[in-house]
Amino acid sequence: MTVADELTPETPDETEKPIKKRKNGLYPGVSDELAENMKSGWADTELRDLEPIAQAAETAARRAALSARFRGERLVIPAGNLKTRSNDTEYPFRASVEYAYLTGNQTEDGVLVLEPVGDGHKATLYLLPRSDRENGEFWLSGQGELWVGRRHSLSEAEKLYGIPAADVRGLADALAEATGPVRVVRGYDTRIEAALTDKVTAERDEELRVFLSEARLVKDAFEIGELQKAVDSTVRGFEDVVKVLDKAEATSERFIEGTFFLRARVEGNDIGYGSICAAGPHACTLHWVRNDGPVRSGELLLLDAGVETHTLYTADVTRTLPINGRFSEIQKKIYDAVYEAQEAGIAAVKPGAKYRDFHDAAQRVLTEKLVEWGLVEGPVERVLELGLQRRWTLHGTGHMLGLDVHDCAVARTETYVDGTLEPGMCLTVEPGLYFQADDLTVPEEYRGIGVRIEDDILVTESGNRNLSGGLPRRSDEVEAWMARLKG
């Protein structure tokens, strides 16, 4: 008997629990008459003509690959739960990447369970059903549909995702009674993990998580299309920012942040990560997300931002822009060095190349510039061997990109940074130079200047494709582009 077979609509006991009331609510209770009134008089809103989601075939193929890797084992992949921001308000929910990758579903409390059957698995998508009208949940609970919106019914979910759906509310108890080998993706649903605590090991669970991370290294056609959508919206967001730089000068970096966020919310689901809107010396802080500083003519703006699509794929693009539209001599010198390094890095991205090649190529160019400028004593090979250039280059030159901005992060080192590039991989190439405002080892004219240029690069059969090539990179092209946008 499977877990799904053990569950019936009568099993969940959560429906019997009293609905939590706000302590200082203005209504002391609900009269029997009102409770009865609220049960009836509602139209049938079941959606009967739903088509499968666009990636249903891809998610099915991903589940099949997972099934083949872990034959004979029950696999449990939770979406996660709402997280409290403050008191009784929650952060916007974002499903775990493992769950979204395998199902396409994004609702909180969902759990995908793959039950071993014969040589394969039977998949079941465990979800919260529609809000209960009989017990008043739909209008009394803070998560009822009159408060937060309608959920799909289980039958609707089956049509959308191509997976049999069941009520999640009894799943934890059923899993606690289930037997046989099981693995769970940890870190998202404490109740599910607690139910399996005596059945799983950290080592075996990590193997599941690593497999799902490595499965995302090579993107399928649907994923590549979503990444291009994310990048295209991001390009438009950067254009939006350039058009309002005068308003940002009158306010702060927050105006830039808000401008880009508007594009992300209008065309996508959200921003893929906290936007870095770093003007002036803030550009030397790698993850400057406070975005509360001044925007001054004559300084540079380092904008690192990405739109996340409705399917949760994100872009990750950086441009360093002269706020007044023209690079100064020293700004251009530093910018052009970073551009040259990025060109070398992008050229190294091709199938069969080592993953590290693009990083090494970009770092070599930057090191040559630092030696040429007299900021560090050569020869170049010595500097690279000792890593002395890192005082000003600071970070690695890129990372995998996808459902996470730093995608595939728990893949094995031998398959990621020590691995080989394959067609379908998507990564960023983002060298930078950062001269801190208090760095006394460099001439004063360098201090407070930070430059990064970042693009999203797809490995193709014949080389690579710059998904974010719609944004200019060369310094003269950047100036001409800004002039056009400012009109």
Side-chain angles (χ1 to χ4, degrees):
M1 178 180 288
T2 68
V3 170
D5 294 329
E6 295 170 10
L7 294 179
T8 66
E10 290 76 34
T11 299
D13 61 358
E14 277 84 349
T15 57
E16 305 303 320
K17 292 180 180 178
I19 295 167
K20 184 179 180 181
K21 299 176 184 177
R22 196 178 266 125
K23 179 179 180 181
N24 288 304
L26 293 175
Y27 289 106
V30 176
S31 68
D32 292 341
E33 290 78 4
L34 176 58
E36 194 63 31
N37 176 275
M38 291 296 287
K39 292 179 182 179
S40 60
W42 304 101
D44 179 7
T45 60
E46 182 75 8
L47 304 176
R48 295 181 172 81
D49 298 321
L50 293 173
E51 295 293 329
I53 60 172
Q55 59 174 315
E58 285 81 4
T59 56
R62 298 165 194 166
R63 293 193 300 275
L66 177 62
S67 173
R69 169 61 179 83
F70 296 101
R71 294 187 187 281
E73 301 183 64
R74 178 178 289 113
L75 308 175
V76 182
I77 301 95
N81 317 122
L82 289 170
K83 290 183 171 57
T84 299
R85 179 180 183 272
S86 177
N87 188 29
D88 58 355
T89 61
E90 290 87 20
Y91 287 105
F93 179 73
R94 190 183 190 276
S96 73
V97 294
E98 295 87 354
Y99 177 86
Y101 179 73
L102 294 168
T103 68
N105 179 259
Q106 297 180 32
T107 54
E108 65 269 18
D109 300 327
V111 183
L112 173 68
V113 178
L114 271 63
E115 302 265 357
V117 177
D119 290 335
H121 287 81
K122 174 188 175 184
T124 304
L125 193 57
Y126 290 90
L127 300 167
L128 287 170
R130 289 281 307 277
S131 295
D132 193 335
R133 292 180 184 262
E134 189 63 26
N135 71 355
E137 175 200 355
F138 81 107
W139 71 287
L140 291 172
S141 168
Q143 294 302 316
E145 70 181 49
L146 293 193
W147 288 93
V148 298
R150 181 187 186 277
R151 294 191 288 265
H152 282 297
S153 70
L154 299 182
S155 61
E156 290 170 353
E158 289 184 357
K159 294 175 184 176
L160 287 169
Y161 306 109
I163 311 171
D167 193 330
V168 73
R169 291 174 294 180
L171 178 61
D173 290 340
L175 287 174
E177 299 299 322
T179 57
V182 60
R183 298 177 192 249
V184 63
V185 176
R186 300 190 183 201
Y188 298 116
D189 193 318
T190 55
R191 187 172 183 198
I192 294 298
E193 289 180 38
L196 296 170
T197 187
D198 60 341
K199 307 175 192 300
V200 297
T201 67
E203 182 180 5
R204 284 166 47 79
D205 291 347
E206 185 65 9
E207 287 176 352
L208 171 60
R209 188 163 173 247
V210 167
F211 175 85
L212 289 171
S213 192
E214 293 183 359
R216 303 197 307 276
L217 284 168
V218 176
K219 271 57 181 179
D220 58 39
F222 177 86
E223 294 179 289
I224 293 169
E226 289 300 294
L227 285 166
Q228 187 65 69
K229 284 182 190 176
V231 168
D232 291 345
S233 289
T234 299
V235 168
R236 290 187 282 273
F238 275 66
E239 293 172 345
D240 295 339
V241 167
V242 171
K243 292 174 183 177
V244 299
L245 280 177
D246 58 335
K247 294 183 174 63
E249 286 187 59
T251 52
S252 76
E253 296 162 338
R254 293 280 168 92
F255 201 96
I256 295 166
E257 179 182 10
T259 298
F260 186 85
F261 180 70
L262 177 61
R263 178 66 66 173
R265 288 292 281 168
V266 167
E267 294 193 3
N269 176 61
D270 206 330
I271 50 175
Y273 54 95
S275 298
I276 298 168
C277 308
H282 287 162
C284 299
T285 301
L286 296 183
H287 287 170
W288 177 261
V289 293
R290 299 180 202 171
N291 299 334
D292 58 359
V295 179
R296 302 185 184 96
S297 179
E299 295 185 332
L300 297 177
L301 166 68
L302 190 157
L303 177 58
D304 184 337
V307 172
E308 178 186 81
T309 66
H310 293 291
T311 56
L312 306 185
Y313 289 86
T314 185
D316 182 8
V317 178
T318 305
R319 288 295 183 270
T320 304
L321 310 171
I323 292 166
N324 64 9
R326 303 287 295 182
F327 290 102
S328 71
E329 184 178 346
I330 185 63
Q331 290 169 351
K332 185 177 186 300
K333 173 183 174 180
I334 296 169
Y335 184 95
D336 288 349
V338 174
Y339 171 77
E340 187 177 329
Q342 195 201 27
E343 283 283 273
I346 292 174
V349 176
K350 54 191 173 184
K354 294 297 184 184
Y355 175 84
R356 292 179 180 271
D357 287 353
F358 77 95
H359 168 72
D360 293 341
Q363 287 292 299
R364 175 170 291 277
V365 171
L366 294 178
T367 302
E368 289 170 351
K369 296 296 182 182
L370 292 166
V371 171
E372 177 188 326
W373 298 341
L375 302 185
V376 63
E377 182 181 349
V380 168
E381 293 298 339
R382 167 186 169 273
V383 177
L384 287 169
E385 182 182 353
L386 298 175
L388 302 179
Q389 83 284 0
R390 293 179 61 186
R391 181 182 179 103
W392 304 286
T393 66
L394 293 178
H395 55 79
T397 309
H399 52 80
M400 292 294 181
L401 185 67
L403 283 168
D404 275 326
V405 64
H406 298 138
D407 206 23
C408 314
V410 298
R412 290 169 296 170
T413 300
E414 57 265 33
T415 61
Y416 191 156
V417 296
D418 289 339
T420 301
L421 295 180
E422 300 177 38
M425 289 182 170
C426 188
L427 58 142
T428 67
V429 178
E430 51 176 309
L433 282 174
Y434 311 91
F435 299 103
Q436 306 298 327
D438 59 350
D439 188 350
L440 301 181
T441 70
V442 300
E444 188 173 356
E445 63 177 350
Y446 286 79
R447 297 174 198 166
I449 295 178
V451 174
R452 180 164 66 251
I453 312 171
E454 177 182 19
D455 284 271
D456 301 341
I457 310 298
L458 173 69
V459 184
T460 64
E461 295 287 348
S462 58
N464 69 65
R465 173 157 58 96
N466 186 348
L467 300 181
S468 45
L471 277 178
R473 293 184 295 126
R474 213 172 62 202
S475 56
D476 59 336
E477 293 175 343
V478 168
E479 291 177 339
W481 170 71
M482 293 183 70
R484 282 197 310 274
L485 290 173
K486 290 185 174 184

